[in-house]
Amino acid sequence: MGATLALLVACAAKTPEQQDLSAFTAEEIFQRGEYELSAKTSPKTAIPYFQEVERLYPYSEYAKRALVMQAFTLHQTRQYEEARAAAQRYVDFYPAGEDIAYAHYLLALSYYDQIDEVGRDQGLTFQALQALRVVIEDYPDSEYAKSAMLKFDLAFDHLAAKDMEIGRYYLRGRHYAAALNRFRTVVQDYQTTSHTPEALLRIVECYIGLGLPDEAQTAGAVLGYNYQSSPFYQDAFNLLKKQGLAPEAKGTSWLSTIYRQMVKGEWL
C-alpha cells in the first residue's frame, strides 16, 4: 500500500512520459492507470500507464489485463485504430484468456462505432459485421453476445440503407435498370431489414418505368403478401391501380419465384 501511495505522489506532477516507472511493480502501475481512469475527466491520461505495464512486464498477468484496459480506454477516447490494435494483440497473444470474449467485442466495437452515417464507405460496416459474428457465434453464452446481436442487426440494416440511398438516386434520375439492381439487392440479400417494404415499392416503380407490368404486379403481390399493413403497400397498390393493374403474381421472373416460395411458407 505504501509503494502504491508513493507512486501516486510521484506521478502527481509529472506525465507518464516524464516518469521512470521501472522501480514500481506491475500491480502498482496498473493501479495508477485505474486511478487515472476513474479520477480524471479525460481517460487519455490512463493509457500510458497500461502501456507501461505491457512494456515493462510483458509476461505478467497484469500485462494481460493492461492490454484489455488499453483497448477499452483507447476506444473510450475514440482512438479506434489503436483500440483495434490493442484488442487484436490480446486475441493473438491470449486466445484462451479470460477476457477473450470482451477483446473480440471491443474489436467489433472499434469498427461499429465508426459507422456514423449512411454516406460513408461501407468497408467498415462489413468488417464490423464479421467481427460481431465472431462474438455471436464463438461466445454465445458471454455477456456480450446479446449486445453483439443487436449491433449486428443495426449494421446489417445500415448496408441495406446504403443500397436504398443509391437506388433512390438512380430512380430520381429515371435510371430504372440501375435503380432496380440496388432495390433487388435489398430484397434478396437484406430481406430481414426494415428497408424491404420500401424496396418492393420502388421495384414496382422501376418496372412500371421500364414498361414491364407483369413484374410490377408481382412486386406488388410480394409486398402485399408480407407487408399488407405497410403504407408502402398502399402506395404500391395505388400506383398499380393508376396503370390499370393490380397486385398479382405473374410471369416467371425472380420475383415470381420469390412469391411462390413465400406462399409455400419458405423465404428466399
Side-chain angles (χ1 to χ4, degrees):
M1 180 66 183
T4 302
L5 180 60
L7 177 61
L8 294 176
V9 173
C11 294
K14 297 180 180 180
T15 66
E17 293 80 3
Q18 296 172 326
Q19 302 163 32
D20 180 9
L21 300 175
S22 59
F24 296 95
T25 66
E27 180 181 7
E28 290 163 352
I29 303 172
F30 183 86
Q31 287 177 346
R32 176 64 196 193
E34 288 187 315
Y35 171 80
E36 291 289 334
L37 194 58
S38 63
K40 301 293 184 180
T41 56
S42 172
K44 285 185 178 180
T45 56
I47 296 171
Y49 293 102
F50 297 131
Q51 291 172 333
E52 281 297 280
V53 174
E54 185 186 6
R55 186 180 72 85
L56 294 172
Y57 302 96
Y59 305 109
S60 68
E61 186 64 27
Y62 278 99
K64 190 188 303 185
R65 293 170 59 185
L67 196 48
V68 171
M69 293 305 295
Q70 279 184 64
F72 167 76
T73 310
L74 287 163
H75 180 266
Q76 289 291 100
T77 56
R78 299 185 179 183
Q79 299 178 69
Y80 296 118
E81 289 187 17
E82 293 84 353
R84 280 196 287 276
Q88 189 62 58
R89 285 204 305 281
Y90 188 97
V91 169
D92 293 339
F93 296 158
Y94 311 110
E98 63 180 12
D99 291 315
I100 186 65
Y102 186 48
H104 276 291
Y105 183 64
L106 285 172
L107 187 60
L109 283 185
S110 71
Y111 290 116
Y112 178 84
D113 286 344
Q114 286 186 282
I115 307 171
D116 55 3
E117 56 186 51
V118 170
R120 290 194 60 167
D121 176 74
Q122 298 304 289
L124 287 170
T125 309
F126 282 111
Q127 290 171 306
L129 286 167
Q130 291 172 347
L132 289 165
R133 188 185 294 276
V134 171
V135 179
I136 296 165
E137 294 182 351
D138 293 356
Y139 308 97
D141 299 323
S142 73
E143 60 186 293
Y144 314 107
K146 185 175 181 180
S147 176
M149 284 189 282
L150 175 61
K151 287 178 170 56
F152 186 94
D153 288 342
L154 292 173
F156 202 60
D157 200 82
H158 185 90
L159 287 178
K162 180 63 177 178
D163 275 310
M164 290 298 299
E165 179 189 47
I166 296 172
R168 292 189 204 100
Y169 171 79
Y170 285 134
L171 185 59
R172 286 193 297 270
R174 298 186 179 181
H175 301 296
Y176 297 119
L180 180 61
N181 286 335
R182 293 292 180 166
F183 299 134
R184 177 173 177 170
T185 295
V186 174
V187 172
Q188 290 186 315
D189 296 343
Y190 307 116
Q191 67 268 29
T192 60
T193 70
S194 62
H195 299 282
T196 302
E198 183 188 352
L200 286 164
L201 167 62
R202 304 308 171 197
I203 287 171
V204 171
E205 294 178 5
C206 289
Y207 277 132
I208 288 176
L210 289 168
L212 297 170
D214 286 357
E215 286 79 359
Q217 287 178 275
T218 302
V222 173
L223 178 54
Y225 185 83
N226 288 277
Y227 309 100
Q228 192 165 14
S229 61
S230 167
F232 293 115
Y233 172 67
Q234 189 60 51
D235 289 343
F237 182 89
N238 293 337
L239 184 60
L240 288 167
K241 188 176 180 180
K242 285 181 181 179
Q243 303 295 320
L245 305 172
E248 182 182 354
K250 288 189 172 184
T252 58
S253 69
W254 64 277
L255 278 166
S256 297
T257 302
I258 288 175
Y259 182 81
R260 288 195 299 272
Q261 289 174 337
M262 288 188 301
V263 168
K264 294 177 182 178
E266 303 171 2
W267 186 235
L268 300 178

